[in-house]
Amino acid sequence: MHTPEALSKHYIPYNAKFLGSTEVEQPKGTEVVRDAVRKLKFARHIKKSEGQKIPKVELQISIYGVKILEPKTKEVQHNCQLHRISFCADDKTDKRIFTFICKDSESNKHLCYVFDSEKCAEEITLTIGQAFDLAYRKFLESGGKDVETRKQIAGLQKRIQDLETENMELKNKVQDLENQLRITQVSTSPTPPWTSTGATEKKAGSVTPKSPSTDIFDMIPFSPISHQSSIPTRNGTQPPPVPSRSTEIKRDLFGAEPFDPFNCGAGDFPPDIQSKLDEMQEGFKMGLTLEGTVFCLDPVDSRC
């Protein structure tokens, strides 16, 4: 219908009358749009009998979507992205009527939009189909094909986080066992002779240094709250302060920093864009169905 450049760098404009939009239960189906068209045409027929005119709109179709604008002010009334459009059809008996179903970006409800054009409904339907196909190709070329790979990377990241949690739990269990062993050794150790009654008295003001207890491997158990004053000085200088645990870089059980697929390079996407890519992939995978059908043959619907 049109050159790829016209749909990629610009847009194809069409003038039409907007009968309105209504919520539908399914994203596809001839019966679904047929009921929506009947409903909206009947509502417009009543309003026309009351003297109200059907509003005119301008449609701008490109690979970025179908925009519905007010013709004079160019104010955008609706912006339907192509990956959210799942069904598009035109009336084979009435060349003026065409419709499409689009999933609303805010409510996630399926809305059916119905238009009355000047005998170019089929051309508009085919233009939307061409724009959808071109947009899907552009999506694959621009990195959409990597969405599945990024999902696998995210799964691996979660697995690493689970292993880190398991590693921390094991460390806590080891620390508890060491504490229990230390308490057992202290309770079962013999009483030194100098602590009995009648032993040599300590000199006034003197403090006997207390040697730290050791574990079964003759090593001092690790304590995360050990005081800096207990660290011996070297050459009369105090060693540099030990950084707190909260400021240390968290590492996994292999000693490596946790991998973040969203911050590992300039070619990756932040989470908000990643979720948008996922949404676009799901929409394009559903596909766009184009149909030509007969919406209604009732006399009351012959003219809006």
Side-chain angles (χ1 to χ4, degrees):
M1 293 295 297
H2 308 280
T3 62
E5 291 76 14
L7 289 168
S8 301
K9 299 180 180 180
H10 306 284
Y11 57 85
I12 307 300
Y14 290 98
N15 293 320
K17 295 179 180 180
F18 186 31
L19 274 66
S21 63
T22 182
E23 182 181 352
V24 293
E25 296 296 331
Q26 302 295 330
K28 297 177 182 286
T30 303
E31 289 297 329
V32 175
V33 295
R34 180 180 287 116
D35 293 340
V37 169
R38 288 176 177 175
K39 176 181 177 181
L40 291 173
K41 289 180 71 173
F42 182 74
R44 284 299 175 186
H45 181 78
I46 294 178
K47 291 183 179 181
K48 185 177 181 180
S49 64
E50 297 174 350
Q52 299 184 23
K53 295 183 179 181
I54 303 176
K56 296 180 180 181
V57 295
E58 177 183 336
L59 299 177
Q60 294 181 355
I61 304 174
S62 69
I63 62 172
Y64 301 103
V66 179
K67 288 185 179 181
I68 305 173
L69 302 89
E70 205 284 325
K72 295 182 179 180
T73 63
K74 301 299 181 181
E75 179 184 357
V76 179
Q77 299 178 353
H78 302 277
N79 186 12
C80 304
Q81 296 173 312
L82 289 177
H83 68 275
R84 290 180 169 272
I85 299 177
S86 54
F87 192 86
C88 189
D90 58 274
D91 195 335
K92 292 305 180 184
T93 59
D94 188 347
K95 300 295 184 180
R96 301 174 299 112
I97 302 298
F98 72 96
T99 178
F100 62 83
I101 298 177
C102 180
K103 189 176 182 180
D104 185 70
S105 59
E106 296 182 358
S107 64
N108 281 331
K109 297 179 179 179
H110 297 287
L111 301 178
C112 183
Y113 296 80
V114 181
F115 302 88
D116 180 352
S117 66
E118 291 296 331
K119 297 184 179 181
C120 58
E122 183 179 5
E123 179 182 342
I124 296 176
T125 300
L126 294 176
T127 301
I128 294 176
Q130 182 185 0
F132 184 94
D133 180 68
L134 184 60
Y136 181 51
R137 296 177 185 272
K138 292 286 186 181
F139 173 72
L140 293 180
E141 294 173 0
S142 62
K145 57 186 177 182
D146 295 332
V147 173
E148 291 297 332
T149 302
R150 298 181 191 282
K151 287 182 178 179
Q152 295 177 4
I153 292 176
L156 291 175
Q157 182 195 29
K158 184 179 184 303
R159 175 59 179 163
I160 291 175
Q161 292 176 348
D162 294 340
L163 291 174
E164 287 179 341
T165 303
E166 183 180 353
N167 185 41
M168 183 60 64
E169 293 176 354
L170 291 175
K171 286 183 178 180
N172 293 334
K173 290 181 180 180
V174 171
Q175 184 65 39
D176 292 340
L177 290 175
E178 288 183 350
N179 293 337
Q180 293 177 7
L181 285 174
R182 185 170 65 252
I183 294 174
T184 304
Q185 290 176 351
V186 171
S187 61
T188 57
S189 59
T191 304
W194 56 268
T195 58
S196 58
T197 306
T200 305
E201 296 181 357
K202 300 178 183 179
K203 295 182 180 180
S206 65
V207 178
T208 303
K210 181 180 179 181
S211 61
S213 58
T214 58
D215 57 14
I216 56 176
F217 303 104
D218 199 25
M219 298 180 66
I220 300 176
F222 170 76
S223 176
I225 57 174
S226 58
H227 298 287
Q228 184 177 347
S229 58
S230 62
I231 302 177
T233 60
R234 297 180 180 178
N235 299 327
T237 60
Q238 191 73 15
V242 179
S244 61
R245 299 288 293 181
S246 59
T247 59
E248 293 181 1
I249 300 177
K250 294 183 178 180
R251 299 180 182 273
D252 59 20
L253 73 169
F254 302 107
E257 297 182 18
F259 176 71
D260 188 349
F262 302 131
N263 296 305
C264 63
D268 294 288
F269 302 103
D272 55 341
I273 299 181
Q274 182 66 30
S275 62
K276 183 67 174 179
L277 284 174
D278 293 340
E279 174 196 324
M280 292 179 68
Q281 186 192 43
E282 293 300 323
F284 282 127
K285 284 175 63 177
M286 179 182 290
L288 172 62
T289 303
L290 300 181
E291 279 195 11
T293 184
V294 178
F295 292 137
C296 188
L297 298 176
D298 297 339
V300 70
D301 292 328
S302 58
R303 301 294 297 178
C304 293

